[in-house]
Amino acid sequence: MEERLQAICKQLASDGELPEDISIKPVLTVPKDPAHGDFASNLAMQLAKPMRRAPRAVAELIIERLADTDGLAKVEIAGPGFMNFFVEAGAAFALIDTILEAGERFGRSTVGKGEKVQVEFVSANPTGPLHVGHGRGAAYGSVVANLLEAVGCSVEREYYVNDAGRQMHILAASVWLRYLEHLGEVIQFPSNGYRSEGYILDIARSLADEHGRQLLVESGKVFADLPEDAPVGDKERHIDALIDRMRELLGENGYQVVFRAALDSILDDIRSDLAEFGVTYDNWYSEQSLADRGLVGRAIERLHEARHVYERDGALWFRATDFGDDKDRVVRRENGQTTYFASDIAYHLDKFDRGFDRVIDIWGADHHGYVPRVKAALTALGQSADRLTVSLVQFAILYRGGERVPMSTRSGSFVTLRELREEVGSDAARFFYVMRAANQHLDFDLDLAKSQSNENPLYYIQYAHARVASVFRQLPLRGFEHEPEMGREAYERLTEAHEQALFKRLAQYPALIERAATAHEPHQLVHYLRDLAQDFHSYYNAHAFLLGEDAALRNARLNLVAATRQVLANGLGLLGVNAPDEM
């Protein structure tokens, strides 16, 4: 019905009744009072202003064009212009067979067919294991990609590996110092290094196992005449000088041995961690490859040719304020090194050069300032900034026993995604991460996620699926078998209020998937599944499915609950969560 209303909007625009530049997405809701119809819409009220007509007049115009709609019994106008839709009983019953025939394909569509979309998410610096904050972006990006594929888009999932930044050099120095320490040297670990005694030391030990003492240098030579560390001196100068000393003492080949050992070890761990979380990628894209292929220099040159850069204080600046940013941005520093922002420009240009129609970046909320500058650069280089969508994911705050768990990558005092998964399971972790809109703060309650009660929304939904499976397991034990055809002949007897509620909820699923995919809002699917589970549990608790003598009604109800199980499984599948047959 939403598609039919959308078609009417397009028809009104082509007839000159509605401005063509007005974009309105009709949405149907289920009235609380069945007397108000099976579905309702405020579309007429949305169209009233652009059409310069009274809402009720617009509603009458829409109803005229709905006259030939199959399965629609009548439409009533209520209040200032609400439209209440009454569906023919036969159309509702036919939905059961449609779901059962389509199976796992039910709810999928082709509205996005032909559109090539890239979703880039997580892209955490490979300086340590993923923590619970990264997990939210991983779950969100994974489900957004699944939803887009469900509506027909061609989706490529990408992880941008930040392997060229300063933090990677700090990581390499941290690993090397732990390696020296492991081999007996006494060191003063820098305050700005990665201090973890866990993964850093593991990499250092592996380095020693593979290379022995080849990379060993006396600590006196390492720290001689370096700038003072904090709190006496400047910790940034100290760590940078330490990195330079390391490169000098090891030579570039030796330095790269340590650098690659650190990068590869952590990247392998990230890949494995995400795969176990149900998150896989089509492409792992190296930031360093941008410079190696000359793409960063090429992007800066294009900005220069278009006269969108200027020199000041020895640095090269992009005129970002000409394109909506709050200040101009440096793309090449006075020492000749290009900035992280310059790499971002090159990276996004390459995305579009690879043929993506639309690009979705999923970033942490602390990166909100990058959005206008990246869009400004794309606009300056002739790209449509509208083709780039940036979804900002708020941080997830973890609570255990009612107390907030602190996290700090440098100190090593943080909860990893792997630890979270081991404690609550991947299903609960993925589900709880997408329960709320990505731009809202999330308090992750470990106790709730682990609980086996109706208060746990995931348990409540999965239990609905398991309950249906249990009904079908009981059939042979009661001497029955499921006869779908007999059930079809008795659909008109499914008149109970709980059955009607299930019909209406199941009918909403395809349109819900399109809305969630279009808006990049997995939480819409979460809320829908919770409502569907509630409708089913209410039905289950109120009625017996395995009636002894009334085989026709029994099989009609079995068809209905089988369709419910299928939609629950389909929705949970898009969330990357299991639909268990037993709990």
Side-chain angles (χ1 to χ4, degrees):
M1 182 58 68
E2 288 184 354
E3 292 181 2
R4 183 76 180 96
L5 292 174
Q6 186 70 62
I8 289 175
C9 288
K10 292 181 179 179
Q11 188 179 358
L12 290 171
S14 64
D15 292 346
E17 297 276 3
L18 181 68
E20 293 188 359
D21 60 347
I22 296 295
S23 177
I24 293 178
K25 185 74 173 177
V27 175
L28 294 179
T29 58
V30 177
K32 292 182 179 180
D33 186 348
H36 295 159
D38 297 297
F39 301 101
S41 175
N42 65 346
L43 178 61
M45 300 170 70
Q46 291 179 279
L47 296 179
K49 186 174 181 179
M51 290 182 65
R52 298 181 181 180
R53 295 194 185 198
R56 293 184 68 89
V58 174
E60 291 172 357
L61 190 61
I62 293 173
I63 292 171
E64 288 177 11
R65 299 181 184 227
L66 284 169
D68 59 347
T69 302
D70 292 337
L72 187 62
K74 65 178 179 177
V75 185
E76 294 180 351
I77 303 174
F82 287 101
M83 293 182 293
N84 294 332
F85 300 84
F86 295 79
V87 179
E88 293 177 354
F93 298 147
L95 175 68
I96 299 176
D97 295 334
T98 298
I99 294 171
L100 295 177
E101 290 169 8
E104 64 182 20
R105 301 187 311 278
F106 181 72
R108 294 179 175 267
S109 70
T110 58
V111 295
K113 185 177 181 180
E115 186 175 32
K116 188 177 179 182
V117 183
Q118 187 215 54
V119 183
E120 184 236 316
F121 59 110
V122 184
S123 300
N125 287 341
T127 54
L130 298 176
H131 57 61
V132 296
H134 298 132
R136 190 178 189 192
Y140 174 74
S142 175
V143 180
V144 166
N146 292 345
L147 287 168
L148 290 169
E149 282 186 333
V151 298
C153 296
S154 173
V155 180
E156 181 170 301
R157 299 158 177 83
E158 182 157 288
Y159 190 114
Y160 181 54
V161 181
N162 302 114
D163 55 359
R166 178 171 177 262
Q167 295 307 315
M168 289 303 302
H169 297 296
I170 296 176
L171 174 70
S174 300
V175 168
W176 187 54
L177 292 177
R178 291 303 186 199
Y179 161 86
L180 298 180
E181 193 174 55
H182 177 65
L183 294 181
E185 291 295 316
V186 177
I187 65 166
Q188 183 64 42
F189 202 84
S191 60
N192 212 20
Y194 288 92
R195 305 186 62 84
S196 170
E197 298 292 343
Y199 70 95
I200 298 293
L201 189 54
D202 288 342
I203 300 171
R205 287 169 176 163
S206 297
L207 200 62
D209 290 343
E210 184 174 354
H211 298 279
R213 303 174 70 85
Q214 295 177 18
L215 304 169
L216 180 62
V217 177
E218 294 179 2
S219 60
K221 293 181 180 180
V222 176
F223 292 99
D225 302 322
L226 289 184
E228 291 283 353
D229 195 3
V232 177
D234 185 327
K235 64 180 181 180
E236 303 295 348
R237 288 188 62 214
H238 178 76
I239 193 70
D240 288 341
L242 183 57
I243 293 168
D244 291 340
R245 179 64 55 79
M246 175 184 173
R247 302 185 86 144
E248 173 191 332
L249 293 171
L250 292 181
E252 195 56 31
N253 288 339
Y255 179 80
Q256 285 301 321
V257 167
V258 180
F259 185 95
R260 293 303 311 183
L263 172 63
D264 293 345
S265 175
I266 293 177
L267 207 53
D268 286 346
D269 181 74
I270 289 173
R271 282 195 183 96
S272 173
D273 200 4
L274 288 171
E276 292 170 8
F277 192 46
V279 177
T280 57
Y281 292 87
D282 302 295
N283 192 33
W284 293 74
Y285 192 105
S286 164
E287 178 189 357
Q288 184 60 47
S289 72
L290 291 169
D292 294 344
R293 291 184 290 151
L295 297 185
V296 179
R298 194 177 309 163
I300 293 175
E301 183 59 31
R302 286 179 59 180
L303 287 172
H304 191 276
E305 290 172 355
R307 299 183 179 181
H308 295 314
V309 293
Y310 63 91
E311 289 190 15
R312 190 179 74 196
D313 301 328
L316 192 65
W317 296 72
F318 164 53
R319 300 182 190 274
T321 50
D322 289 351
F323 302 94
D325 199 3
D326 59 346
K327 61 181 180 180
D328 293 345
R329 307 289 176 177
V330 176
V331 291
R332 188 169 60 225
R333 299 186 182 93
E334 59 273 10
N335 62 4
Q337 293 183 347
T338 56
T339 61
Y340 186 84
F341 175 50
S343 295
D344 265 345
I345 298 172
Y347 176 47
H348 284 83
L349 279 177
D350 187 58
K351 290 188 182 196
F352 291 117
D353 287 344
R354 282 183 275 159
F356 295 110
D357 301 304
R358 193 153 54 94
V359 166
I360 300 171
D361 288 352
I362 296 172
W363 297 345
D366 56 337
H367 286 73
H368 65 91
Y370 282 84
V371 179
R373 72 185 72 168
V374 172
K375 290 200 170 194
L378 288 174
T379 303
L381 291 171
Q383 297 287 345
S384 172
D386 292 339
R387 294 169 63 192
L388 169 65
T389 299
V390 179
S391 293
L392 298 175
V393 179
Q394 290 287 344
F395 201 71
I397 302 172
L398 187 66
Y399 286 85
R400 181 185 287 111
E403 295 185 2
R404 180 172 176 171
V405 180
M407 290 186 294
S408 171
T409 307
R410 290 287 177 80
S411 69
S413 174
F414 62 95
V415 177
T416 66
L417 175 59
R418 182 173 281 108
E419 289 170 335
L420 175 67
R421 291 191 293 101
E422 291 173 351
E423 183 165 346
V424 306
S426 288
D427 279 357
R430 287 183 66 106
F431 185 90
F432 273 66
Y433 274 134
V434 298
M435 278 200 311
R436 301 184 66 182
N439 61 3
Q440 294 180 351
H441 286 283
L442 175 67
D443 292 342
F444 195 115
D445 187 336
L446 286 169
D447 299 326
L448 179 61
K450 291 185 292 184
S451 70
Q452 296 185 2
S453 70
N454 289 344
E455 297 303 313
N456 180 342
L458 174 59
Y459 181 87
Y460 189 69
I461 295 166
Q462 288 181 319
Y463 186 42
H465 185 274
R467 264 185 156 177
V468 180
S470 176
V471 168
F472 282 91
R473 283 197 302 273
Q474 292 178 45
L475 281 175
L477 302 178
R478 301 281 189 91
F480 301 139
E481 62 177 316
H482 183 202
E483 299 180 64
E485 189 57 43
M486 182 185 294
R488 292 188 187 101
E489 295 174 0
Y491 281 158
E492 70 278 359
R493 297 177 61 189
L494 298 176
T495 58
E496 297 285 352
H498 292 109
E499 291 162 345
Q500 296 300 312
L502 271 177
F503 282 138
K504 295 174 185 178
R505 193 74 65 189
L506 293 172
Q508 291 177 312
Y509 182 72
L512 178 280
I513 294 301
E514 288 187 14
R515 288 200 302 274
T518 301
H520 309 156
E521 292 183 346
H523 69 277
Q524 289 194 33
L525 176 56
V526 170
H527 295 166
Y528 170 83
L529 291 174
R530 178 66 187 266
D531 291 341
L532 177 59
Q534 183 174 12
D535 291 337
F536 170 75
H537 286 306
S538 297
Y539 183 35
Y540 183 93
N541 294 331
H543 300 282
F545 298 137
L546 305 182
L547 303 175
E549 298 179 357
D550 201 333
L553 180 58
R554 178 178 68 245
N555 280 286
R557 287 179 169 176
L558 288 173
N559 287 0
L560 174 58
V561 297
T564 302
R565 174 175 63 176
Q566 186 65 65
V567 174
L568 286 168
N570 291 358
L572 288 171
L574 290 174
L575 295 177
V577 171
N578 288 309
D581 288 337
E582 294 183 80
M583 297 287 284

